[in-house]
Amino acid sequence: MSRRNAGKRLALIGCGAMGTALGLRLLGLGWEVRVHNRSPERTAPLRDAGASAHATPAEAVAGADWVATVLTDSAALRALLFGDNGIASAPAAGRRLVDLGTHQPTQLAALGAEAAAAGWPLVEAPMTGSVHDASHGTLHFLVGGAEADVEWASPLLWALGRGVHHLGGLGAGNTALNLLVGVMAGGLGEAIALLRAHGLAVDSFLDALDGSGLASPLYRRLGQRYLDGDHAPRFSLANLEKDLRWECEHALASGLQPRLAPALCRLLAPLSEEAKRRDYSALIADLAGAPSC
């Protein structure tokens, strides 16, 4: 390993759309990236860009300064931590595991306790942003974990984004974020449906939002995808439904009576598996109908 990459060696576990975008960004910044994915073919874009692919998580972790996972849920994280040749089978040597995915908060806290007992303290850092933000370093991270662990993870997170926000202990970072994402997408869809019912210009409405107190990159991005009919998956409806279901569970366990998250879950539940593989911007199309010509 070259001295110029000292301190810039990342083991990246999980090479979906977001994981790939993050790995490509760090490769572009001169990092050494070591990757593992349960489906090896998904490592191809990173391998083509100069990353090294490894057959097991333990092999990917060996020699890395940082270890990050981008996985779909806590079950996947547990398997890659404690399965055969998993992350926990490699010596931590002072490192922490930085998880960038989304999880049910109480499940993640329990898994974090097991990981710490195995010598791998866990830091959660779910991302506010899309593949575009991951590629351009404009992500913000909602971080949960012990203060010392978060401090250790911060240099990696700042290399990947432009905001690191420590909310509290494990589970804090995964509380509420994608509930708000779903509500915003659903609200925009119903607003566009009303505009279309009266024959009004959706593109002019989006322009007006950009200059108002309601301005949000999310509205602009999802609205433009609606106008373009572009629902190629960046963050799928299936993942949104999963996260909303967890938000419902977490709210109920907190003594609250959630209303918006269950309503969105009821809206998404009847969709076919194929329909749920679309980008979550398709929620706007489902609510508002096809864009005007």
Side-chain angles (χ1 to χ4, degrees):
M1 297 180 186
S2 64
R3 288 183 59 83
R4 72 181 182 87
N5 281 335
K8 292 186 175 182
R9 297 181 290 256
L10 173 70
L12 178 65
I13 315 297
C15 301
M18 287 296 282
T20 297
L22 293 170
L24 290 174
R25 171 170 172 76
L26 290 184
L27 285 167
L29 294 175
W31 284 55
E32 179 181 319
V33 179
R34 306 164 60 86
V35 299
H36 168 78
N37 196 79
R38 287 175 294 179
S39 302
E41 66 274 9
R42 301 199 72 175
T43 66
L46 287 163
R47 285 188 282 111
D48 291 346
S52 59
H54 299 270
T56 69
E59 288 179 16
V61 167
D65 302 299
W66 308 88
V67 181
T69 51
V70 192
L71 304 170
T72 54
D73 55 33
S74 296
L77 180 56
R78 179 183 295 279
L80 287 167
L81 258 170
F82 299 116
D84 291 342
N85 295 306
I87 294 168
S89 67
R95 296 170 295 181
R96 280 74 164 170
L97 174 59
V98 184
D99 182 80
L100 305 173
T102 54
H103 302 268
Q104 203 280 347
T106 53
Q107 291 178 7
L108 182 67
L111 181 56
E114 294 179 51
W120 278 94
L122 178 61
V123 176
E124 60 167 333
M127 301 168 271
T128 67
S130 65
V131 169
H132 177 275
D133 296 297
S135 300
H136 290 79
T138 54
L139 293 166
H140 284 251
F141 297 93
L142 301 180
V143 185
E147 187 75 40
D149 298 335
V150 172
E151 183 177 352
W152 183 91
S154 289
L156 172 64
L157 299 177
W158 280 108
L160 293 171
R162 64 181 183 189
V164 178
H165 311 276
H166 188 193
L167 273 65
L170 276 179
N174 277 279
T175 298
L177 173 61
N178 281 340
L179 168 60
L180 185 58
V181 168
V183 169
M184 291 176 72
L188 181 61
E190 293 206 348
I192 290 175
L194 186 59
L195 292 167
R196 284 179 48 78
H198 289 273
L200 304 177
V202 174
D203 53 351
S204 294
F205 175 73
L206 294 173
D207 289 341
L209 285 183
D210 283 344
S212 76
L214 295 175
S216 166
L218 183 74
Y219 286 144
R220 167 51 68 181
R221 190 173 297 140
L222 295 185
Q224 194 60 52
R225 288 181 201 167
Y226 166 79
L227 291 174
D228 295 341
D230 175 13
H231 306 304
R234 290 91 163 173
F235 177 60
S236 70
L237 283 171
N239 279 332
L240 177 62
E241 181 186 25
K242 171 204 71 174
D243 290 346
L244 288 169
R245 187 172 65 250
W246 288 342
E247 297 289 3
C248 290
E249 294 172 1
H250 196 45
L252 289 168
S254 303
L256 303 175
Q257 294 294 324
R259 294 175 177 83
L260 295 177
L264 287 165
C265 286
R266 288 193 294 271
L267 181 67
L268 294 169
L271 298 179
S272 67
E273 288 187 14
E274 182 179 358
K276 290 179 183 178
R277 284 195 286 269
R278 296 173 296 165
D279 187 70
Y280 76 113
S281 59
L283 177 61
I284 298 170
D286 291 346
L287 289 166
S292 302
C293 296

